[in-house]
Amino acid sequence: MKHTVFAAALLVPVATGAFASEVGLIEQTIAVQHHSHGMEMSVMFPATGQDKVIFGENAVFYGAPVLENAEPVAGQYPVVLMSHGWGGNYARMAWLGAGLAARGAIVIAVNHPNSTTFDLDLDGAFNHWTRAQDLSAALDNVVRDTTFADLIDETRIYAAGFSYGGWTALSLGGVQAKRDGLFAYCEAAGPQSQFCVELATAAHDPATLDARKYDASYKDHRISRVAAIDPGLTWSLTSADMQEFDTPLLLIGLGEGDDRLAATDTSAGGSNFEALVPQARVLDIAPAMHFSALGLCKPAGEAILLDEKDDPVCTDPEGTDRAQVLNMIVEAMVDHFDLD
């Protein structure tokens, strides 16, 4: 079931559902067996408290209001595992984590070692399976935590992500990757893909990746629903790669035409991944572009990035209302995960 929604057409404020709550935040670093160093993680949750701060704010982006030193509100809550994109971090996805937590979810996020903002290693970043393992380990940690153990509804554990993190969510649901898809995409995209040009410049050969690990299943059987925003790595997949995927799926695509990022285009004009999941709810949002999902930019954000010669992640297509794009994503996930 596919819908295209125009972002300026809806006026749904984030985190204002009938049961909207204050959001608590806990951050910590945990040890995980599959990495040589600690992994940063966060938990957002319905909370009460007085110490309100703005999390994830900088000169370019607005942050999300959260409570430090907060007490969880008693109850039983679903869990959403949340994964950021290539070179991103969980603070940049705070708008989504806070939006879901305010509507009655415990949201667990990590800064994926080797593929986060301050820890980006080209070779290690391609080991996509470690990202699924990151979130499974973070879930294990929270389930054991006496602060949260009695609050978790273990029948309602979900996965969500953006871009490379969208793939991580699909992987946790049971979709298996195909290493040769990297070749297929870069061959089709050619020099139009900055990502593929960077790979070629770095002389990175996908053939050096361990195909056995790359193409294996990393399904976490605790995951019962998945939501993916512009997911990567869906090129060249076949029905054989979907044999373990049996969860309800929400696919959110950002932009249309030239504003749709080819690497994460799941439509028939891109990887055609949507044909493999006919049961999925597909929501295309336009006008928008891939990086519209990175949060709400401040008025000076676009100019700052231009001056620093950074990626133009605040430059949306004409007519985009980024606040509404973000609101629509939150509302779609609230519905998909049956929150409130």
Side-chain angles (χ1 to χ4, degrees):
M1 182 169 55
K2 183 165 183 169
H3 300 279
T4 299
V5 180
F6 293 94
L10 292 183
L11 296 174
V12 184
V14 170
T16 57
F19 301 97
S21 169
E22 298 276 18
V23 175
L25 171 68
I26 292 176
E27 297 180 274
Q28 59 184 308
T29 299
I30 65 172
V32 287
Q33 292 183 345
H34 56 282
H35 292 299
S36 60
H37 57 283
M39 179 177 71
E40 298 171 333
M41 62 169 288
S42 70
V43 185
M44 289 184 171
F45 52 93
T48 60
Q50 301 297 321
D51 300 335
K52 184 168 287 189
V53 298
I54 303 300
F55 175 66
E57 184 163 20
N58 57 31
V60 174
F61 290 99
Y62 289 107
V66 299
L67 299 175
E68 293 182 328
N69 307 310
E71 292 292 328
V73 175
Q76 284 276 289
Y77 302 104
V79 170
V80 179
L81 305 181
M82 189 174 70
S83 180
H84 65 73
W86 178 285
N89 57 78
Y90 63 65
R92 196 71 293 113
M93 301 300 295
W95 64 270
L96 178 57
L100 297 179
R103 303 292 284 273
I106 294 173
V107 181
I108 302 171
V110 305
N111 283 335
H112 293 287
N114 299 320
S115 60
T116 193
T117 306
F118 304 108
D119 178 16
L120 182 58
D121 174 76
L122 187 61
D123 292 325
F126 276 103
N127 296 340
H128 71 89
W129 56 91
T130 66
R131 299 176 120 249
Q133 292 169 342
D134 292 344
L135 284 173
S136 291
L139 175 60
D140 291 341
N141 179 272
V142 175
V143 168
R144 292 192 301 263
D145 190 326
T146 56
T147 301
F148 298 106
D150 292 337
L151 303 177
I152 293 173
D153 181 350
E154 295 193 36
T155 69
R156 300 177 65 199
I157 297 179
Y158 311 135
F162 163 64
S163 196
Y164 199 14
W167 168 258
T168 303
L170 291 172
S171 179
L172 284 166
V175 181
Q176 294 177 229
K178 184 163 289 181
R179 186 189 66 175
D180 291 346
L182 292 172
F183 293 103
Y185 168 66
C186 283
E187 183 176 350
Q192 300 303 312
S193 168
Q194 180 181 348
F195 175 74
C196 294
V197 169
E198 289 175 357
L199 289 187
T201 301
H204 184 88
D205 183 359
T208 63
L209 294 167
D210 186 329
R212 180 183 60 83
K213 288 185 177 180
Y214 197 95
D215 297 356
S217 172
Y218 297 95
K219 181 180 179 71
D220 187 321
H221 290 274
R222 295 171 291 186
I223 304 300
S224 58
R225 291 178 184 247
V226 170
I229 309 166
D230 263 10
L233 300 194
T234 61
W235 284 73
S236 297
L237 300 184
T238 68
S239 57
D241 305 306
M242 306 298 297
Q243 293 180 14
E244 293 195 38
F245 188 78
D246 56 2
T247 63
L249 172 63
L250 169 66
L251 277 176
I252 299 176
L254 298 175
E256 60 183 0
D258 291 342
D259 296 326
R260 188 77 182 260
L261 183 64
T264 59
D265 183 356
T266 58
S267 73
S271 71
N272 203 28
F273 175 70
E274 292 168 22
L276 298 177
V277 285
Q279 78 282 10
R281 177 190 175 197
V282 180
L283 177 65
D284 290 333
I285 301 176
M289 56 99 174
H290 183 66
F291 295 114
S292 298
L294 285 183
L296 190 61
C297 296
K298 292 183 175 180
E302 184 174 1
I304 289 172
L305 294 175
L306 181 64
D307 184 61
E308 294 180 352
K309 296 182 173 55
D310 206 338
D311 293 334
V313 299
C314 288
T315 306
D316 289 312
E318 184 177 356
T320 302
D321 184 335
R322 185 175 288 207
Q324 296 310 313
V325 172
L326 303 179
N327 290 337
M328 291 164 62
I329 292 171
V330 171
E331 289 300 316
M333 288 198 188
V334 165
D335 181 65
H336 182 64
F337 294 143
D338 195 23
L339 303 182
D340 274 357

mmCIF file of all heavy atoms in Angstrom, residues 98-121:
data_model
loop_
_atom_site.group_PDB
_atom_site.id
_atom_site.type_symbol
_atom_site.label_atom_id
_atom_site.label_comp_id
_atom_site.label_asym_id
_atom_site.label_seq_id
_atom_site.Cartn_x
_atom_site.Cartn_y
_atom_site.Cartn_z
ATOM 1 N N ALA A 98 12.884 11.483 20.701
ATOM 2 C CA ALA A 98 12.051 12.214 21.657
ATOM 3 C C ALA A 98 10.591 12.180 21.248
ATOM 4 O O ALA A 98 9.692 12.068 22.100
ATOM 5 C CB ALA A 98 12.541 13.655 21.780
ATOM 6 N N GLY A 99 10.339 12.255 19.943
ATOM 7 C CA GLY A 99 8.966 12.209 19.472
ATOM 8 C C GLY A 99 8.279 10.895 19.804
ATOM 9 O O GLY A 99 7.112 10.870 20.202
ATOM 10 N N LEU A 100 9.002 9.792 19.673
ATOM 11 C CA LEU A 100 8.433 8.470 19.981
ATOM 12 C C LEU A 100 8.340 8.241 21.482
ATOM 13 O O LEU A 100 7.358 7.671 21.976
ATOM 14 C CB LEU A 100 9.278 7.381 19.324
ATOM 15 C CG LEU A 100 9.334 7.405 17.793
ATOM 16 C CD1 LEU A 100 10.237 6.291 17.276
ATOM 17 C CD2 LEU A 100 7.946 7.298 17.173
ATOM 18 N N ALA A 101 9.350 8.681 22.228
ATOM 19 C CA ALA A 101 9.319 8.513 23.685
ATOM 20 C C ALA A 101 8.172 9.314 24.295
ATOM 21 O O ALA A 101 7.521 8.863 25.244
ATOM 22 C CB ALA A 101 10.652 8.923 24.301
ATOM 23 N N ALA A 102 7.919 10.507 23.764
ATOM 24 C CA ALA A 102 6.831 11.330 24.277
ATOM 25 C C ALA A 102 5.472 10.681 24.048
ATOM 26 O O ALA A 102 4.510 10.986 24.741
ATOM 27 C CB ALA A 102 6.860 12.704 23.618
ATOM 28 N N ARG A 103 5.423 9.768 23.082
ATOM 29 C CA ARG A 103 4.171 9.106 22.764
ATOM 30 C C ARG A 103 4.082 7.704 23.349
ATOM 31 O O ARG A 103 3.199 6.933 23.002
ATOM 32 C CB ARG A 103 3.997 9.063 21.244
ATOM 33 C CG ARG A 103 4.048 10.425 20.583
ATOM 34 C CD ARG A 103 2.858 11.305 20.924
ATOM 35 N NE ARG A 103 1.703 10.864 20.178
ATOM 36 C CZ ARG A 103 1.422 11.274 18.947
ATOM 37 N NH1 ARG A 103 2.213 12.150 18.338
ATOM 38 N NH2 ARG A 103 0.341 10.843 18.329
ATOM 39 N N GLY A 104 5.028 7.364 24.247
ATOM 40 C CA GLY A 104 4.875 6.132 24.997
ATOM 41 C C GLY A 104 5.790 5.000 24.615
ATOM 42 O O GLY A 104 5.405 3.827 24.710
ATOM 43 N N ALA A 105 7.019 5.294 24.205
ATOM 44 C CA ALA A 105 7.986 4.250 23.870
ATOM 45 C C ALA A 105 9.279 4.471 24.647
ATOM 46 O O ALA A 105 9.617 5.599 25.012
ATOM 47 C CB ALA A 105 8.297 4.245 22.373
ATOM 48 N N ILE A 106 9.987 3.392 24.900
ATOM 49 C CA ILE A 106 11.369 3.463 25.363
ATOM 50 C C ILE A 106 12.234 3.337 24.113
ATOM 51 O O ILE A 106 12.123 2.350 23.374
ATOM 52 C CB ILE A 106 11.686 2.337 26.360
ATOM 53 C CG1 ILE A 106 10.875 2.522 27.649
ATOM 54 C CG2 ILE A 106 13.182 2.295 26.679
ATOM 55 C CD1 ILE A 106 10.992 1.363 28.626
ATOM 56 N N VAL A 107 13.044 4.350 23.842
ATOM 57 C CA VAL A 107 13.821 4.405 22.605
ATOM 58 C C VAL A 107 15.295 4.217 22.930
ATOM 59 O O VAL A 107 15.888 5.004 23.673
ATOM 60 C CB VAL A 107 13.598 5.740 21.868
ATOM 61 C CG1 VAL A 107 14.411 5.765 20.572
ATOM 62 C CG2 VAL A 107 12.115 5.941 21.573
ATOM 63 N N ILE A 108 15.882 3.177 22.358
ATOM 64 C CA ILE A 108 17.283 2.835 22.579
ATOM 65 C C ILE A 108 18.060 3.153 21.306
ATOM 66 O O ILE A 108 17.707 2.681 20.216
ATOM 67 C CB ILE A 108 17.449 1.348 22.927
ATOM 68 C CG1 ILE A 108 16.633 1.001 24.183
ATOM 69 C CG2 ILE A 108 18.916 0.989 23.115
ATOM 70 C CD1 ILE A 108 16.571 -0.498 24.466
ATOM 71 N N ALA A 109 19.103 3.960 21.431
ATOM 72 C CA ALA A 109 19.923 4.317 20.269
ATOM 73 C C ALA A 109 21.394 4.160 20.623
ATOM 74 O O ALA A 109 21.770 4.192 21.795
ATOM 75 C CB ALA A 109 19.645 5.754 19.845
ATOM 76 N N VAL A 110 22.216 3.974 19.606
ATOM 77 C CA VAL A 110 23.660 3.858 19.816
ATOM 78 C C VAL A 110 24.391 4.730 18.808
ATOM 79 O O VAL A 110 23.846 5.087 17.759
ATOM 80 C CB VAL A 110 24.149 2.395 19.665
ATOM 81 C CG1 VAL A 110 23.380 1.464 20.587
ATOM 82 C CG2 VAL A 110 24.056 1.916 18.223
ATOM 83 N N ASN A 111 25.634 5.082 19.134
ATOM 84 C CA ASN A 111 26.566 5.608 18.146
ATOM 85 C C ASN A 111 27.367 4.416 17.644
ATOM 86 O O ASN A 111 28.218 3.875 18.353
ATOM 87 C CB ASN A 111 27.492 6.659 18.770
ATOM 88 C CG ASN A 111 26.794 7.995 18.949
ATOM 89 O OD1 ASN A 111 25.836 8.312 18.253
ATOM 90 N ND2 ASN A 111 27.276 8.802 19.884
ATOM 91 N N HIS A 112 27.052 3.987 16.422
ATOM 92 C CA HIS A 112 27.648 2.768 15.895
ATOM 93 C C HIS A 112 29.157 2.933 15.695
ATOM 94 O O HIS A 112 29.581 3.757 14.863
ATOM 95 C CB HIS A 112 27.017 2.401 14.550
ATOM 96 C CG HIS A 112 25.586 2.006 14.627
ATOM 97 N ND1 HIS A 112 25.179 0.801 15.159
ATOM 98 C CD2 HIS A 112 24.458 2.641 14.233
ATOM 99 C CE1 HIS A 112 23.861 0.707 15.079
ATOM 100 N NE2 HIS A 112 23.393 1.818 14.526
ATOM 101 N N PRO A 113 29.993 2.205 16.427
ATOM 102 C CA PRO A 113 31.437 2.283 16.202
ATOM 103 C C PRO A 113 31.785 2.020 14.738
ATOM 104 O O PRO A 113 31.158 1.192 14.075
ATOM 105 C CB PRO A 113 31.989 1.184 17.120
ATOM 106 C CG PRO A 113 30.995 1.109 18.237
ATOM 107 C CD PRO A 113 29.659 1.308 17.563
ATOM 108 N N ASN A 114 32.749 2.766 14.237
ATOM 109 C CA ASN A 114 33.273 2.692 12.865
ATOM 110 C C ASN A 114 32.408 3.416 11.838
ATOM 111 O O ASN A 114 32.868 3.663 10.724
ATOM 112 C CB ASN A 114 33.476 1.241 12.391
ATOM 113 C CG ASN A 114 34.466 0.495 13.237
ATOM 114 O OD1 ASN A 114 35.482 1.045 13.646
ATOM 115 N ND2 ASN A 114 34.175 -0.764 13.524
ATOM 116 N N SER A 115 31.160 3.764 12.179
ATOM 117 C CA SER A 115 30.337 4.455 11.180
ATOM 118 C C SER A 115 29.566 5.624 11.774
ATOM 119 O O SER A 115 28.501 5.981 11.286
ATOM 120 C CB SER A 115 29.361 3.470 10.512
ATOM 121 O OG SER A 115 28.475 2.872 11.449
ATOM 122 N N THR A 116 30.143 6.227 12.822
ATOM 123 C CA THR A 116 29.511 7.389 13.420
ATOM 124 C C THR A 116 30.339 8.645 13.149
ATOM 125 O O THR A 116 31.423 8.578 12.569
ATOM 126 C CB THR A 116 29.295 7.167 14.940
ATOM 127 O OG1 THR A 116 28.418 8.176 15.434
ATOM 128 C CG2 THR A 116 30.592 7.234 15.701
ATOM 129 N N THR A 117 29.826 9.789 13.560
ATOM 130 C CA THR A 117 30.427 11.073 13.186
ATOM 131 C C THR A 117 31.900 11.184 13.572
ATOM 132 O O THR A 117 32.737 11.598 12.770
ATOM 133 C CB THR A 117 29.648 12.227 13.852
ATOM 134 O OG1 THR A 117 28.262 12.099 13.531
ATOM 135 C CG2 THR A 117 30.157 13.576 13.354
ATOM 136 N N PHE A 118 32.218 10.806 14.798
ATOM 137 C CA PHE A 118 33.587 10.990 15.285
ATOM 138 C C PHE A 118 34.386 9.691 15.302
ATOM 139 O O PHE A 118 35.464 9.627 15.877
ATOM 140 C CB PHE A 118 33.533 11.604 16.686
ATOM 141 C CG PHE A 118 32.752 12.894 16.722
ATOM 142 C CD1 PHE A 118 31.507 12.955 17.309
ATOM 143 C CD2 PHE A 118 33.262 14.036 16.109
ATOM 144 C CE1 PHE A 118 30.776 14.127 17.326
ATOM 145 C CE2 PHE A 118 32.523 15.222 16.112
ATOM 146 C CZ PHE A 118 31.286 15.269 16.720
ATOM 147 N N ASP A 119 33.840 8.679 14.676
ATOM 148 C CA ASP A 119 34.505 7.378 14.600
ATOM 149 C C ASP A 119 34.081 6.725 13.290
ATOM 150 O O ASP A 119 33.261 5.814 13.265
ATOM 151 C CB ASP A 119 34.115 6.508 15.802
ATOM 152 C CG ASP A 119 34.733 5.112 15.754
ATOM 153 O OD1 ASP A 119 35.684 4.909 14.969
ATOM 154 O OD2 ASP A 119 34.254 4.230 16.486
ATOM 155 N N LEU A 120 34.645 7.232 12.183
ATOM 156 C CA LEU A 120 34.269 6.746 10.856
ATOM 157 C C LEU A 120 35.479 6.102 10.193
ATOM 158 O O LEU A 120 36.433 6.780 9.821
ATOM 159 C CB LEU A 120 33.736 7.894 9.994
ATOM 160 C CG LEU A 120 33.252 7.528 8.589
ATOM 161 C CD1 LEU A 120 32.139 6.487 8.655
ATOM 162 C CD2 LEU A 120 32.781 8.768 7.843
ATOM 163 N N ASP A 121 35.422 4.794 10.102
ATOM 164 C CA ASP A 121 36.485 4.017 9.475
ATOM 165 C C ASP A 121 35.904 3.347 8.235
ATOM 166 O O ASP A 121 34.973 2.543 8.337
ATOM 167 C CB ASP A 121 37.013 2.960 10.448
ATOM 168 C CG ASP A 121 38.009 2.027 9.803
ATOM 169 O OD1 ASP A 121 39.162 2.431 9.595
ATOM 170 O OD2 ASP A 121 37.621 0.876 9.483
#
